[in-house]
Amino acid sequence: MQYSIFVFIAALMSVALAQVWLLPDGRDKDLYSNVWGRALRNSNNGVTWNKPVGNGNVFGTLGSNDQGLFGKAGYQGTIFNDARGKMDGQAYGTRVLSPAGDTSHFGGKLNWANDNAKASVDISKQIHGKTTVEASGAGVWKVDKNTQVSAGGSLSGGNGKPDVTVNAQIESKF
């Protein structure tokens, strides 16, 4: 399972790079003769792109700073937007090369919301490292014309015991 996610992220990055580094007719162009190459060569801020694909976007950033080289790529899109609410998803991968050490992460997140509730979950994994999970949810429901109940909570963890937060409130207008 872990390798299939890594292959999926690598495929997304390949598609994104192919879209950026090829001319519209599909021919290769010299890296330093196009706009992207000049931006990479002359900038410490990096290059960011966002290309519509299907119901979402392929995105990415390549760059460098005093700490090293970095890159992030992924896909974000809408899974559904109907009577059930709206659900967006994202899959991403990052790579950092630096004198202090190299790191690679991959992960994904889902965000769902409807008229009176919302929830999100974000799971990321550092290659040869820990897995981090962050989840939250909240909702507001009307009991009658003067009373509403709200509840929410969050969970975050990755090292030992998770941090859990739960809250609820009843609000009544007199």
Side-chain angles (χ1 to χ4, degrees), residues 99-152:
D102 304 340
T103 61
S104 297
H105 287 81
F106 66 92
K109 61 172 88 171
L110 291 172
N111 296 312
W112 171 82
N114 69 10
D115 293 339
N116 59 336
K118 63 182 176 179
S120 67
V121 63
D122 187 350
I123 301 173
S124 64
K125 168 80 173 149
Q126 181 177 351
I127 304 298
H128 304 296
K130 64 179 182 170
T131 300
T132 304
V133 177
E134 293 182 19
S136 65
V140 177
W141 298 273
K142 292 220 179 264
V143 177
D144 61 32
K145 70 179 189 171
N146 293 327
T147 306
Q148 69 181 18
V149 175
S150 61

